[in-house]
C-alpha cells in the first residue's frame, strides 16, 4: 500500500464548529504551557473544551499508562505500541468521539498518533507503515484537524530536563540517540502531513510560541 493510499484511509471529525487539536514534541518542548494558553483562547470564544493526555484519560488508559511508564523491564516495541493503541481506542470511544458530537466543541490532546509514529515508528524502528496500518480501523483512523508540533533540538531538551531534575521515567531514561531519532522523526512527519501538522520553532520564548499557535488557531476556530 502506498503512503498516499494509507493517508486516504484516515478521516477527520465533521461536526460543524467542532475542532480536534493535538500537541506533539519531545520531552520539555513546552506542551503543557501552550495547552493552557489554547484553553484560555478557546474559553474566551465561549466554546466547550476537553483537554486530555495520552496515554491515559480513561480509567483503563491510566492503568496502561502506569504499566508502560513504570515498566521494570524494557518492553518489546510492539508491546509498547499496542498498549498505546489500546489506551487511544478507549479514549476515542469514551471521551473524544462523544464530546465532539456537540457543535462548538474543542478537544485538545497532549500527544496522539504522531507520538506513536515518532516514538514507536521511528525511534523504536517499527516503521511508519506499520503504525499507520494499525490505525486504519475505526475509531483509530480519526485524525486531528490540526497538530501543533513544538520543535526543539536535542540539546535544549536535555538541558531543560536537567534543570527540572526529577527522576527519569521509562522513556526519559533513554540514550541521546533515541532522542535524536525522535527529533528527526517528528520533523519527517511534519513533511509527510503538511496540511495537518504545523511545525513551530519552540526554541523561542513561550510568548512567541503562543503567538504562533494563536494566529493559526484563529483561522480554525468558528
Ligand atoms: P508523559 O509523562 O505524558 O510525557 P510528556 O510529559 O513528555 O508528554 O509520558 C508519556 C510518554 O509516552 C512520553 O515519553 C511519550 C511516550 N509515548 C509513546 O512512546 N508513544 C505514544 O503513542 C504516546 C502517546 C506516548
Amino acid at each position: 500500500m502506498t503512503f498516499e493510499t494509507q493517508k486516504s484511509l484516515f478521516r477527520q471529525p465533521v461536526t460543524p464548529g467542532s475542532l480536534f487539536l493535538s500537541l506533539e514534541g519531545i520531552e520539555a518542548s513546552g506542551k503543557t504551557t501552550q495547552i493552557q494558553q489554547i484553553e484560555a483562547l478557546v474559553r474566551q470564544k465561549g466554546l466547550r473544551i476537553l483537554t486530555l493526555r495520552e496515554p491515559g484519560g480513561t480509567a483503563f488508559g491510566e492503568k496502561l499508562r502506569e504499566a508502560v511508564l513504570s515498566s521494570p523491564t524494557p518492553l518489546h516495541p510492539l508491546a509498547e505500541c499496542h498498549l498505546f493503541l489500546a489506551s487511544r481506542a478507549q479514549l476515542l470511544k469514551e471521551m473524544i468521539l462523544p464530546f465532539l458530537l456537540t457543535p462548538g466543541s474543542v478537544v485538545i490532546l497532549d500527544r496522539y498518533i504522531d507520538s506513536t509514529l515518532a516514538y514507536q515508528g521511528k525511534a523504536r524502528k517499527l516503521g511508519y507503515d506499520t503504525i499507520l496500518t494499525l490505525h486504519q480501523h475505526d475509531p483509530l483512523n480519526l485524525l486531528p484537524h490540526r497538530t501543533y508540533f513544538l520543535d526543539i533540538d536535542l540539546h535544549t531538551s536535555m538541558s531543560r530536563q536537567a534543570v527540572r531534575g526529577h527522576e527519569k521515567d521509562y522513556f526519559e531514561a533513554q540514550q541521546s540517540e533515541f532522542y535524536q531519532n525522535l527529533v528527526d522523526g517528528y520533523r519527517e512527519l511534519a513533511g509527510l502531513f503538511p496540511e495537518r501538522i504545523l511545525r513551530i520553532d519552540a526554541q523561542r520564548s513561550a510568548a512567541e510560541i503562543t503567538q504562533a499557535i494563536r494566529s493559526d488557531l484563529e483561522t480554525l476556530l468558528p
Side-chain angles (χ1 to χ4, degrees), residues 164-215:
R164 286 179 183 178
H166 65 87
E167 207 180 305
K168 291 182 185 310
D169 72 21
Y170 182 72
F171 285 104
E172 290 164 350
Q174 295 293 324
Q175 300 303 313
S176 59
E177 189 200 340
F178 178 87
Y179 273 94
Q180 190 55 56
N181 282 332
L182 281 181
V183 173
D184 297 344
Y186 270 127
R187 289 176 181 167
E188 277 169 13
L189 291 167
L192 289 170
F193 294 93
E195 59 295 322
R196 175 175 62 87
I197 301 180
L198 183 65
R199 190 189 80 82
I200 292 175
D201 172 3
Q203 308 274 136
R204 296 176 291 171
S205 71
E208 286 173 297
I209 300 167
T210 302
Q211 193 43 51
I213 294 178
R214 252 178 186 261
S215 48

Side-chain angles (χ1 to χ4, degrees), residues 114-127:
D114 304 295
S115 282
T116 323
L117 287 162
Y119 281 74
Q120 281 67 49
K122 179 80 176 186
R124 291 282 198 235
K125 306 193 183 345
L126 289 180

Side-chain angles (χ1 to χ4, degrees), residues 25-28 31-32 53-55 65 69 80 84 88 110-113 115-117 119-120 169 171-172 179:
I26 61 172
E27 265 67 337
K31 288 183 283 114
T32 311
R53 69 168 178 188
E54 277 206 356
R65 177 184 180 87
L69 297 187
E80 262 174 33
F84 287 120
R88 181 165 305 148
D110 182 350
R111 298 192 177 282
Y112 191 59
I113 185 170
S115 282
T116 323
L117 287 162
Y119 281 74
Q120 281 67 49
D169 72 21
F171 285 104
E172 290 164 350
Y179 273 94

Side-chain angles (χ1 to χ4, degrees), residues 71-173:
S71 174
T73 46
L75 298 170
H76 189 282
L78 269 179
E80 262 174 33
C81 178
H82 281 98
L83 284 169
F84 287 120
L85 263 57
S87 170
R88 181 165 305 148
Q90 199 62 24
L91 190 66
L92 282 157
K93 172 182 178 286
E94 276 185 37
M95 309 288 289
I96 298 173
L97 289 168
F99 191 82
L100 286 175
L101 283 180
T102 306
S105 303
V106 180
V107 171
I108 305 174
L109 198 41
D110 182 350
R111 298 192 177 282
Y112 191 59
I113 185 170
D114 304 295
S115 282
T116 323
L117 287 162
Y119 281 74
Q120 281 67 49
K122 179 80 176 186
R124 291 282 198 235
K125 306 193 183 345
L126 289 180
Y128 299 144
D129 209 51
T130 307
I131 308 296
L132 289 173
T133 302
L134 286 169
H135 279 83
Q136 281 166 6
H137 300 273
D138 191 54
L140 288 174
N141 60 354
L142 192 80
L143 285 180
H145 294 103
R146 176 71 81 237
T147 298
Y148 295 111
F149 158 40
L150 304 188
D151 189 8
I152 57 170
D153 61 28
L154 184 62
H155 176 74
T156 307
S157 174
M158 294 296 171
S159 45
R160 287 185 189 170
Q161 283 184 59
V163 172
R164 286 179 183 178
H166 65 87
E167 207 180 305
K168 291 182 185 310
D169 72 21
Y170 182 72
F171 285 104
E172 290 164 350

